[in-house]
Amino acid sequence: MLDLHNHTTRCKHATGTMSEYVDTALSQGVSVYGFACHAPMDYDTGFRMSFDELQDYFHDIETLQERYSGRCTIRKGLEVDYLPKHLDSRVLDADVDYLIGSVHFLDDWGFDNPQFISEYMRQDMSQCWQRYLHAIRDMAKSGLFQIVGHFDLLKIFNNPPDDSVHEAITQTLESIKSAGMALEINSAGLRKPIGEIYPSKQILRKAFALGIPITFGSDAHAVQQVGFGRESAQRLAKEVGYTKMLDFHNRSPIVCRIP
Ligand SMILES: [Zn+2]
Ligand SMILES: [Zn+2]
């Protein structure tokens, strides 16, 4: 099994050592494990590593790649916020196996952060979904990323998309297909108020029909979150019809069979 989306303490809101994460994944039968911590950015600096730390982060991963050689393939990734004004070549051109592109902000509202949950009271969710999906489409068209992070994250605090958003979801999936990106099946939603994997089964069905490839991620921010919900994620993918998943090395996809 593979798990390409995991954080480290460098993002300032995760716990546990990197080797504890890998040991836990190994004990669960994971043979390809990827770190994709929040990339540095000149915005929201309290929730990510600094630019000064980027090479140290890569070095830590390379050290683990040697230490676990022959037991576990460790991938080097970053989770990048798609905020056009804050994209940085030090991240975009970095020597990584993959970049996960994620939208966590609508304008300057960090909508997945419980600290700013009161903002939901002032928002029209149908409009928020339109803005969110527009950002994901722009991200896909940018061609900068290999993986779409948690496709329907905006549902996190129990705000799933209503029927008015379905057309925009289809358009967004078509953009992802055209960009040749993979959708991540991210189990973190199971531990959030929505209590559901990202993306929903309904969305994943559309993605499968369009021939969009998938990959898997725990989005772990603590050792005990490594592998949380992985079996549900695999089951969901298979129920929808997927038999293959993608690993990435040097930004190129490697097709693997879902175990
Ligand atoms: Zn994220
Ligand atoms: Zn993440």
Side-chain angles (χ1 to χ4, degrees):
M1 194 50 195
L2 64 78
D3 185 346
L4 295 187
H5 187 158
N6 294 281
H7 290 271
T8 75
T9 51
R10 291 189 186 277
C11 69
K12 307 184 186 91
H13 58 283
T15 55
T17 67
M18 291 168 81
S19 53
E20 285 175 318
Y21 280 59
V22 178
D23 287 337
T24 305
L26 256 178
S27 73
Q28 297 169 356
V30 169
S31 55
V32 180
Y33 189 78
F35 287 100
C37 204
H38 294 285
M41 175 168 72
D42 64 352
Y43 184 69
D44 192 46
T45 52
F47 291 91
R48 58 197 62 252
M49 69 182 87
S50 66
F51 283 101
D52 291 346
E53 283 177 276
L54 191 56
Q55 293 310 317
D56 293 338
Y57 166 70
F58 291 151
H59 181 76
D60 288 348
I61 295 174
E62 286 154 14
T63 302
L64 291 176
Q65 284 172 334
E66 282 173 33
R67 192 188 306 164
Y68 288 89
S69 169
R71 287 190 289 156
C72 186
T73 300
I74 298 179
R75 297 295 187 210
K76 194 195 289 180
L78 284 167
E79 181 179 22
V80 183
D81 275 81
Y82 184 67
L83 280 172
K85 285 183 201 152
H86 301 281
L87 294 172
D88 192 295
S89 60
R90 286 169 286 181
V91 169
L92 298 176
D93 301 337
D95 176 22
V96 291
D97 290 311
Y98 53 88
L99 295 177
I100 298 176
S102 294
V103 174
H104 303 105
F105 292 90
L106 290 175
D107 293 327
D108 55 357
W109 175 34
F111 63 80
D112 70 330
N113 187 335
Q115 245 176 286
F116 310 120
I117 195 168
S118 63
E119 180 64 19
Y120 280 91
M121 309 288 280
R122 308 203 293 119
Q123 296 286 344
D124 172 329
M125 285 316 294
S126 295
Q127 279 180 17
C128 286
W129 272 103
Q130 295 292 350
R131 288 160 63 204
Y132 174 80
L133 291 165
H134 191 273
I136 302 264
R137 286 197 294 280
D138 273 358
M139 177 177 85
K141 287 171 193 163
S142 77
L144 296 169
F145 310 97
Q146 285 69 52
I147 300 169
V148 182
H150 38 59
F151 176 85
D152 55 357
L153 177 66
L154 187 57
K155 71 183 176 182
I156 181 169
F157 295 114
N158 232 341
N159 291 293
D162 64 30
D163 289 346
S164 72
V165 184
H166 285 178
E167 182 54 36
I169 288 175
T170 303
Q171 284 171 14
T172 308
L173 291 172
E174 284 165 354
S175 302
I176 289 166
K177 170 67 182 172
S178 303
M181 294 174 81
L183 263 192
E184 135 191 282
I185 302 194
N186 179 318
S187 43
L190 289 172
R191 40 174 217 266
K192 305 293 175 162
I194 184 71
E196 186 183 277
I197 285 169
Y198 310 116
S200 67
K201 191 172 193 174
Q202 196 183 14
I203 291 172
L204 199 61
R205 278 213 173 96
K206 285 191 188 185
F208 180 73
L210 287 167
I212 297 172
I214 53 164
T215 188
F216 290 89
S218 289
D219 211 343
H221 287 71
V223 174
Q224 58 272 24
Q225 292 171 355
V226 174
F228 176 80
R230 186 178 295 127
E231 284 175 12
S232 308
Q234 278 176 253
R235 203 179 316 122
L236 174 68
K238 288 179 177 172
E239 279 168 7
V240 165
Y242 281 100
T243 55
K244 307 261 171 64
M245 60 186 177
L246 296 187
D247 172 22
F248 286 88
H249 182 47
N250 288 336
R251 305 199 191 210
S252 295
I254 300 168
V255 180
C256 315
R257 178 158 282 278
I258 300 172

